[in-house]
Amino acid sequence: MKKNIFIEYYPSQDRKRLCEIVGNEIKDIIKISYESYDEFLNDWDDYHEYQNKFSFFKYSYGCVLLRFSNELEYLFYSADEQNSVMLLCQRDAMNVNPYYVLNKEVNSEIKMIFSVKEDRDLYFNRFINRKIKKINILTKNNLNSKEEDLPSNMGIELLFENMNESLILSHHLDENKSFVFSILEGNDIKDDKQIFVKDEIE
């Protein structure tokens, strides 16, 4: 029987999923938001530093679809019940998830979609066409007893060839700890001594 590839995982549950993207380039980073830009701005009206499109892309309530050069597409999002970032295959070279996230007929809650490839003003465009050389699974050293019993794969850090910067898909690792799922850069967490590498995939 053919294995169902359209099942959600936390990273350490099936390292093969992440191994399949090492050595491949990121072709697009797509933020799928379940709140509008105006809703986000209103929620953070008292915080001037979040009143911009870049912050909306990083922090708004939603998930992220990454497209890779080997035709894989993975969806990344948070799951509090696992205290982890989760991944779910949306497409490979032969198959498309019947509940493909960008299909608004099956995902009617979508309010905004931002594609880094199409919107060159977005700061993350420097990661497009960059080859992934390594993936770090991140966690924290100050977990409470409940979190210690969970997978707590709290970040997926993508490191790139010929580049000193990294891209992080984060569950509660953002710098002010106010956002559940966010898209971060390595510099956003470099001073947080509570975050460490739980596993490495090369």
Side-chain angles (χ1 to χ4, degrees):
M1 181 180 295
K2 185 177 180 180
K3 184 177 180 180
N4 182 6
I5 64 170
F6 303 124
I7 298 176
E8 67 174 4
Y9 296 91
Y10 51 85
S12 61
Q13 187 178 17
D14 191 347
R15 297 171 82 259
K16 178 177 179 289
R17 298 294 170 189
L18 292 178
C19 288
E20 289 176 339
I21 63 177
V22 173
N24 288 278
E25 297 175 356
I26 288 186
K27 305 309 290 185
D28 203 358
I29 305 168
I30 301 173
K31 177 61 182 281
I32 299 150
S33 180
Y34 299 119
E35 61 181 333
S36 69
Y37 187 45
D38 287 341
E39 287 171 335
F40 178 82
L41 294 182
N42 288 336
D43 287 343
W44 295 94
D45 187 47
D46 294 333
Y47 297 84
H48 177 72
E49 64 268 31
Y50 297 126
Q51 298 291 301
N52 55 75
K53 185 169 70 172
F54 182 53
S55 292
F56 177 79
F57 187 88
K58 289 177 71 172
Y59 302 119
S60 64
Y61 169 56
C63 50
V64 170
L65 181 71
L66 297 187
R67 289 177 169 159
F68 301 98
S69 54
N70 61 352
E71 299 185 62
L72 279 174
E73 296 184 17
Y74 280 151
L75 185 69
F76 297 87
Y77 52 94
S78 278
D80 282 327
E81 63 273 16
Q82 303 288 356
N83 195 37
S84 296
V85 176
M86 307 295 289
L87 62 152
L88 176 62
C89 182
Q90 296 294 295
R91 184 193 299 268
D92 65 10
M94 301 293 293
N95 306 282
V96 179
N97 192 320
Y99 300 101
Y100 187 66
V101 66
L102 294 181
N103 182 350
K104 290 188 176 182
E105 292 183 2
V106 298
N107 196 2
S108 60
E109 296 179 358
I110 294 176
K111 290 193 176 179
M112 295 195 74
I113 296 172
F114 277 109
S115 163
V116 171
K117 185 177 180 180
E118 295 176 5
D119 190 341
R120 287 296 178 177
D121 291 333
L122 287 170
Y123 191 53
F124 283 115
N125 59 27
R126 68 194 187 284
F127 295 111
I128 300 300
N129 296 323
R130 292 285 188 170
K131 183 180 288 188
I132 298 169
K133 67 176 181 180
K134 181 180 177 181
I135 298 174
N136 289 332
I137 300 173
L138 307 177
T139 191
K140 301 187 78 172
N141 60 17
N142 63 339
L143 301 176
N144 60 40
S145 58
K146 180 180 178 180
E147 292 168 336
E148 288 177 347
D149 290 334
L150 298 173
S152 293
N153 294 181
M154 299 179 68
I156 299 173
E157 182 180 25
L158 307 179
L159 296 95
F160 302 89
E161 290 186 359
N162 304 314
M163 195 177 191
N164 293 324
E165 301 171 87
S166 63
L167 182 70
I168 300 171
L169 306 163
S170 157
H171 172 78
H172 286 301
L173 294 182
D174 61 282
E175 53 270 44
N176 70 6
K177 312 300 183 287
S178 297
F179 303 98
V180 180
F181 179 79
S182 53
I183 316 167
L184 305 176
E185 305 160 85
N187 286 337
D188 289 330
I189 64 167
K190 66 182 178 63
D191 296 324
D192 193 332
K193 305 304 182 185
Q194 297 174 342
I195 298 172
F196 69 96
V197 176
K198 182 177 183 176
D199 195 6
E200 299 178 357
I201 298 172
E202 296 184 86

